[in-house]
Amino acid sequence: MKKSSSLFVKNAFIQMDKLVVSALLGIYVAIILFGLDKGFDFSDEGMYLMLTDPHQPNQYGLLNYDLFFKLFYRFTGFQFGIVQLRILRLVLYFMAAGFVFRFWLALFPDDWQKGTGMQIVPLILISLFGGYAFLPQSLSYNSLTVVLTCFLFGVYGTAYWKGKSSLITMLFTGTFLAFLFYIKITVFFGFLVLILGFDLFAKKRIIISLLLLLLPLVIMEAIFGLVLGKSGLLSMIEGFQFSQLRDGYGLFHVLKSVLVGIFWSGLIFGSGLLGALFFQSNNRRIKTAFAFCSLSIAFFCIYWITITEESTFYLLFGILFAMGFLTMNKSTKASRPKIKFLLLVLFFLPFVLHFGSNVYFMRLGVHYLFLWILWIMVWLKVNGEFHQLRIAVLAICISFLPFVLDGLWWRPFGLEPIFHQTERFVYQGKKVIFLDREQILFLQNLEGILEKLQAENLQVLPLYSIPGPLYLLNRQIPKTPGIWSPSHFEAYFAKDLNAKVILFNGLDSLPYAVQQNYLRYEHPEKPLIGVEIYVLKENHD
């Protein structure tokens, strides 16, 4: 009787949790949908959109996923706009959650019959939505990297866990890796090494695995070469040489970025571990020592890692602390080698995804939190703590909400709050986006000045980090989707500067070549706040 009553209560809790989690997921989706046509960041988001412009050059690029959009345009004539890319990102996140759920069912097949595993889909979705808390909301190489990682878990991870790899599995895995090659080359190599290592451990033929994994990439290169006359591989080789000339993209800097992330993550994890020891100890002096050490490390980390205005540090901190706290749960199940190995992979995989970026890990890490959320869920699942699992699911689903709201509505990346994005702007014929009043005036005045300069068909070069206005005015940038620093400018244009008009926002020094060969255009009303226009001397009247 007690067992039957307990089962009834458990099922009641499961149904209630499903209802609450589904309602929370609906709130997240509504928040995202409301902002789809509002706001546009001229900086990073401008580059994301430039990479989808089929007419935009991308020479010497390490990011070559523009080839897929160029190929799609060649066959369909369709060019993605801002809203379409945001919808595509949302759709891909739903698909990614489905692939992770497939992997979860490989770990815990009984969850399908019990219906308890369905919470994983909204949970992973909400953790993926954490990416909206930092950086613009359009589809980018960061969101694509995360989505493909989920796909790899769903295909290769599932097959590896079941021990049932097949030719189809390896070809699909190779296809996802090939996409990563064009999206983020460092992550491609990271996953390739990991997968070959797993196959070696499983005593498979590495040469055959390697050939199957690389076959889709060879096919894609052939298609791009035949249809577009371009090669991602050649562009990658040239791009690597140019990247060494740019600040923050040398091997030392990208390694440093990852190692710094591991250092701070390890410290926070350790503070959680010491917090758990505090509760486990019965000795008063030892408890005091553990409490002091845990709090000292926690406050030290909070003080030093919060060096920018984003609040997402606290989300990473809370999750890492919880992981460290859970680690001290001495379960015989959790000590199984296979589970230990999975938890180790899930812990370090965010750093593999981050490798190649010069952005501070504690800022960008919010995009990879789904892996650490999965770590927590696996840990709690193997320990069989039903109520702990319930509380964790609800806590995670609720805790992401203020950060997503902050990133999309209150403090969108590089923008005023979403409620200021009320002015309608039409671009590329019929596409519409709502911007704030200052951005609208900026675009209108810039377009008017370029018309006065008779620059309709002349090359315009934006310095620095402002490709967005040219995208909205249906213009392209010579050679590259954006110029971010003087070293970037020198790498691309030191010996070949043919632009007739230069936009300069003063974020860094004005290049010497511009000072020598261009004159500043004087506009009496100074309508472009913070932006100066320089015109080639021979075109200046």
Side-chain angles (χ1 to χ4, degrees):
M1 184 72 179
K2 286 184 178 180
K3 186 176 181 181
S4 176
S5 176
S6 175
L7 185 62
F8 174 80
V9 172
K10 185 176 180 178
N11 288 333
F13 275 125
I14 290 173
Q15 296 304 319
M16 182 180 68
D17 290 348
K18 284 181 180 180
L19 183 63
V20 173
V21 171
S22 298
L24 284 169
L25 179 61
I27 292 172
Y28 280 95
V29 173
I31 291 170
I32 295 168
L33 292 177
F34 182 76
L36 282 179
D37 62 348
K38 297 173 182 66
F40 179 67
D41 168 48
F42 284 172
S43 179
D44 291 61
E45 195 166 20
M47 186 191 71
Y48 303 161
L49 271 294
M50 278 294 190
L51 282 167
T52 67
D53 185 341
H55 309 295
Q56 171 60 47
N58 184 25
Q59 297 179 21
Y60 321 124
L62 289 176
L63 303 174
N64 287 284
Y65 66 92
D66 62 300
L67 294 176
F68 294 103
F69 290 98
K70 289 178 169 67
L71 187 69
F72 186 77
Y73 180 81
R74 177 66 64 90
F75 287 111
T76 66
F78 180 79
Q79 180 177 347
F80 285 86
I82 300 167
V83 175
Q84 289 95 335
L85 275 185
R86 293 174 179 179
I87 293 173
L88 181 59
R89 177 181 180 179
L90 185 59
V91 170
L92 287 174
Y93 275 174
F94 272 88
M95 293 175 62
F99 274 85
V100 175
F101 182 57
R102 186 173 188 265
F103 176 67
W104 179 269
L105 290 180
L107 301 179
F108 310 108
D110 291 344
D111 276 4
W112 179 256
Q113 294 178 345
K114 296 177 181 178
T116 54
M118 288 304 294
Q119 291 179 344
I120 293 299
V121 175
L123 180 66
I124 293 300
L125 257 177
I126 288 171
S127 61
L128 288 172
F129 290 163
Y132 288 110
F134 175 63
L135 292 178
Q137 57 175 314
S138 289
L139 187 73
S140 69
Y141 55 91
N142 290 310
S143 50
L144 284 169
T145 300
V146 164
V147 166
L148 287 166
T149 300
C150 293
F151 287 2
L152 285 169
F153 266 100
V155 175
Y156 181 81
T158 299
Y160 182 81
W161 193 265
K162 290 182 175 180
K164 297 180 180 179
S165 183
S166 65
L167 175 65
I168 298 298
T169 297
M170 296 306 290
L171 288 176
F172 269 107
T173 301
T175 300
F176 298 142
L177 285 178
F179 281 114
L180 280 172
F181 178 83
Y182 296 96
I183 293 166
K184 196 172 183 181
I185 183 68
T186 50
V187 177
F188 163 80
F189 281 117
F191 270 117
L192 185 63
V193 170
L194 282 174
I195 289 171
L196 290 176
F198 294 156
D199 283 357
L200 182 64
F201 183 76
K203 298 180 180 180
K204 296 180 181 179
R205 296 179 181 179
I206 299 301
I207 300 299
I208 295 177
S209 295
L210 181 61
L211 291 175
L212 290 173
L213 292 173
L214 294 181
L215 180 61
L217 176 59
V218 173
I219 294 173
M220 287 184 187
E221 279 290 276
I223 293 173
F224 290 137
L226 291 172
V227 179
L228 301 176
K230 296 182 181 296
S231 165
L233 179 61
L234 293 179
S235 179
M236 205 76 68
I237 293 171
E238 294 170 338
F240 178 77
Q241 295 171 346
F242 270 77
S243 70
Q244 304 307 301
L245 303 175
R246 293 177 54 189
D247 294 334
Y249 281 91
L251 182 60
F252 171 77
H253 288 92
V254 295
L255 278 174
K256 177 184 174 183
S257 180
V258 171
L259 292 175
V260 167
I262 293 174
F263 171 77
W264 288 116
S265 300
L267 275 183
I268 299 168
F269 185 91
S271 67
L273 189 147
L274 291 170
L277 290 175
F278 165 79
F279 286 99
Q280 292 180 9
S281 176
N282 295 319
N283 186 297
R284 186 174 180 180
R285 290 184 178 180
I286 294 177
K287 283 174 75 75
T288 303
F290 282 141
F292 176 78
C293 292
S294 177
L295 291 173
S296 297
I297 294 172
F299 284 118
F300 174 79
C301 291
I302 290 173
Y303 178 80
W304 285 105
I305 67 176
T306 53
I307 58 175
T308 60
E309 63 181 12
E310 287 85 24
S311 57
T312 51
F313 299 111
Y314 301 106
L315 191 57
L316 268 74
F317 178 91
I319 289 171
L320 279 166
F321 188 93
M323 291 167 67
F325 191 91
L326 289 172
T327 300
M328 292 310 297
N329 188 320
K330 297 178 181 179
S331 167
T332 55
K333 293 181 181 179
S335 64
R336 286 178 1 211
K338 205 169 183 180
I339 292 293
K340 272 188 172 181
F341 180 66
L342 173 61
L343 294 174
L344 194 66
V345 170
L346 289 173
F347 183 84
F348 282 102
L349 203 52
F351 305 107
V352 176
L353 300 187
H354 183 69
F355 183 62
S357 174
N358 69 337
V359 179
Y360 185 36
F361 176 83
M362 302 306 289
R363 299 178 76 194
L364 197 58
V366 70
H367 287 265
Y368 317 133
L369 278 182
F370 76 97
L371 292 164
W372 287 346
I373 298 300
L374 191 58
W375 188 102
I376 292 173
M377 291 300 103
V378 170
W379 182 276
L380 292 175
K381 183 68 178 178
V382 298
N383 281 291
E385 298 289 346
F386 172 70
H387 290 292
Q388 280 188 345
L389 188 63
R390 286 186 59 240
I391 293 169
V393 169
L394 294 175
I396 291 168
C397 289
I398 293 170
S399 64
F400 274 76
L401 187 58
F403 297 97
V404 174
L405 265 174
D406 185 51
L408 284 176
W409 284 18
W410 308 126
R411 293 188 299 172
F413 188 83
L415 298 172
E416 294 294 318
I418 195 172
F419 304 106
H420 294 182
Q421 318 295 327
T422 57
E423 302 286 332
R424 190 170 185 268
F425 185 82
V426 180
Y427 67 101
Q428 293 178 5
K430 296 182 180 179
K431 295 184 176 74
V432 174
I433 189 72
F434 288 89
L435 307 174
D436 64 53
R437 183 62 179 164
E438 186 173 311
Q439 286 180 311
I440 293 289
L441 290 175
F442 178 97
L443 293 167
Q444 290 174 345
N445 291 327
L446 175 59
E447 191 170 30
I449 289 169
L450 293 178
E451 287 178 0
K452 288 181 182 178
L453 294 172
Q454 298 180 342
E456 290 87 352
N457 299 313
L458 300 181
Q459 289 185 345
V460 181
L461 194 64
L463 306 178
Y464 298 97
S465 308
I466 48 171
L470 295 188
Y471 171 81
L472 291 175
L473 297 179
N474 201 28
R475 290 173 173 272
Q476 289 75 44
I477 305 171
K479 296 186 179 182
T480 177
I483 304 294
W484 305 99
S485 65
S487 62
H488 192 185
F489 173 86
E490 292 294 329
Y492 280 83
F493 299 102
K495 299 178 181 179
D496 185 24
L497 181 58
N498 296 318
K500 305 299 182 183
V501 178
I502 302 286
L503 304 181
F504 178 62
N505 61 4
L507 288 182
D508 215 314
S509 59
L510 186 66
Y512 179 75
V514 178
Q515 297 179 37
Q516 292 295 109
N517 301 304
Y518 292 76
L519 293 174
R520 190 171 70 175
Y521 176 80
E522 299 291 345
H523 39 87
E525 299 178 1
K526 297 189 180 298
L528 302 181
I529 299 174
V531 176
E532 296 176 345
I533 293 182
Y534 286 80
V535 183
L536 195 63
K537 287 181 178 179
E538 64 186 51
N539 293 92
H540 195 280
D541 51 18

